[in-house]
Amino acid sequence: MSVAALELPLRKIASGKVREIFEIDDERLLFVASDRISAYDVVMNEQIPDKGRVLTGMTEHWLKLAGEIPNHLLSMSLSDLPDEVRPSWEELAGRFMIVRRLNMMPVEFVVRGYLVGSGWAEYKRNGTIAGLKLPERLREADKLPAPVFTPATKAVTGHDENISEETAGEIVGEARMRAARDYAFALYEMAATYAEQRGIIVADTKFEFGMWDGEVVLADEVLTPDSSRFWPAGEWRPGTNPPSFDKQYLRDWLSGLDWNKEPPPPTLPADVIEGTRRRYLEAYERITGSSFHEYLKRQGGATFAQNETSQS
Ligand code: Q0Z
């Protein structure tokens, strides 16, 4: 089942284009990933079934691999949800995380391993990335000599604005910035190495951190296609902007229309929805090495078993 605008009898404390956060109590939040999808910053009218579950399952996978880095996840068990949301178990299964409420840092911890997007734009202008001098004659999408930390803040426009490491330190405090930056580098290195062995390049990714009990804690979704650029390794061609693993199918279809990339978006046909869904499932399975169906069984609990029975 898809979740358009999920209604829960809890206070919504934040909502983004494709996800929502509700308050459980003073210490805990309910983080929910919807099946909404955006392209060129516009949210489509149709949803990609299970997309939110794929992103939640991927985040869970990376958090397990990042064992020693403190993170906000408390539980993904339906039985730990507050009683008031029981009627929504079926739509929530597999797409929620009960998380520790942190004091969030207003800085995005971005790590880039490849020269694309705003990093490529800065390099073309100045020969630098985050102010750091780079070798000459690099091409778009080239692998960087070493991953680079390019912090950003949410500007009033809602778009990200790159800032220097020094400014990031002034905003969150030097020691906290360094701790989060070092976690971000470690996470990126781990994930990039791991994904490369499975045919996926993690070109860049964005982490969010908060504070709890004096500690820097990893929050939000982690190393998903919505927070990262994933490229199929076989389609990486330096000198071009490679296709994103998840959305290229959708973008290719959109680019054949004469849509001006302003709302309202065009209506997505069933085959574009299904093709995009398959890309998300494939990303999940390539990255985790396990079947998405198994994830649904594990997270859906009795709900899933009941559905399987009722379909046969
Ligand atoms: C994250 C965001 C989203 C819009 C608040 N563990 C946490 N504790 C306190 N606050 C947050 C978290 Cl994850 C928190 N965001 C970013 C997420 C929709 C904005 F789902 N906002």
Side-chain angles (χ1 to χ4, degrees), residues 38 85 116 131 141 146 164 182 208 241 299:
S38 68
V85 304
V116 280
S164 67
D182 292 350
E208 301 207 23
N241 189 347
Q299 297 302 328

Side-chain angles (χ1 to χ4, degrees), residues 78-285:
L78 288 166
S79 57
D80 288 327
L81 287 169
D83 290 338
E84 309 93 273
V85 304
R86 250 177 193 274
S88 302
W89 269 26
E90 201 163 327
E91 35 186 343
L92 285 172
R95 66 169 76 254
F96 75 90
M97 287 185 165
I98 299 171
V99 302
R100 194 183 296 290
R101 192 172 201 160
L102 310 174
N103 187 9
M104 295 300 290
M105 298 187 204
V107 166
E108 311 202 318
F109 290 77
V110 180
V111 179
R112 299 169 187 275
Y114 291 76
L115 194 55
V116 280
S118 68
W120 170 239
E122 180 186 331
Y123 176 76
K124 278 193 293 184
R125 264 196 328 269
N126 305 326
T128 59
I129 191 162
L132 219 89
K133 193 85 196 135
L134 285 181
E136 283 169 40
R137 284 188 290 281
L138 291 179
R139 298 157 296 177
E140 182 175 27
D142 259 336
K143 187 173 189 177
L144 294 169
V148 177
F149 172 50
T150 64
T153 50
K154 281 249 182 294
V156 252
T157 60
H159 278 99
D160 297 348
E161 181 180 311
N162 287 344
I163 57 175
S164 67
E165 185 171 302
E166 188 189 358
T167 301
E170 285 163 9
I171 295 171
V172 306
E174 187 69 13
R176 289 173 190 178
M177 182 278 291
R178 286 186 183 183
R181 177 201 63 192
D182 292 350
Y183 282 151
F185 272 130
L187 286 160
Y188 177 79
E189 301 271 17
M190 175 275 287
T193 304
Y194 185 97
E196 191 169 49
Q197 292 164 1
R198 289 156 182 80
I200 293 178
I201 292 173
V202 183
D204 51 39
T205 191
K206 173 187 87 181
F207 300 103
E208 301 207 23
F209 292 90
M211 297 300 297
W212 185 75
D213 196 23
E215 256 203 322
V216 172
V217 178
L218 175 61
D220 222 291
E221 55 178 306
V222 176
L223 289 154
T224 70
D226 278 7
S227 68
S228 321
R229 277 193 185 89
F230 289 174
W231 296 334
E235 290 167 48
W236 174 51
R237 304 272 183 280
T240 69
N241 189 347
S244 88
F245 196 98
D246 52 316
K247 284 183 187 163
Q248 199 56 35
Y249 197 89
L250 173 59
R251 292 207 187 115
D252 286 349
W253 180 77
L254 289 170
S255 70
L257 309 176
D258 69 6
W259 177 47
N260 62 3
K261 301 182 172 73
E262 303 284 340
T267 301
L268 306 185
D271 65 310
V272 171
I273 294 171
E274 188 48 33
T276 301
R277 178 170 183 273
R278 293 174 64 89
R279 297 291 282 174
Y280 278 98
L281 299 199
E282 193 187 336
Y284 176 89
E285 298 191 340

Side-chain angles (χ1 to χ4, degrees), residues 1-61:
M1 190 188 297
S2 277
V3 178
L6 183 73
E7 304 261 356
L8 294 176
L10 299 174
R11 195 168 73 94
K12 194 184 282 183
I13 67 151
S15 66
K17 285 202 291 281
V18 301
R19 62 221 171 103
E20 260 114 39
I21 303 185
F22 300 86
E23 179 177 72
I24 297 176
D25 56 34
D26 288 350
E27 275 109 50
R28 297 175 306 155
L29 302 176
L30 179 60
F31 193 103
V32 183
S34 76
D35 290 341
R36 296 193 295 274
I37 188 168
S38 68
Y40 308 110
D41 270 344
V42 177
V43 179
M44 302 292 113
N45 295 316
E46 297 74 24
Q47 304 180 48
I48 307 302
D50 291 326
K51 171 178 177 272
R53 294 190 172 96
V54 164
L55 270 55
T56 304
M58 264 188 212
T59 295
E60 177 194 36
H61 170 80

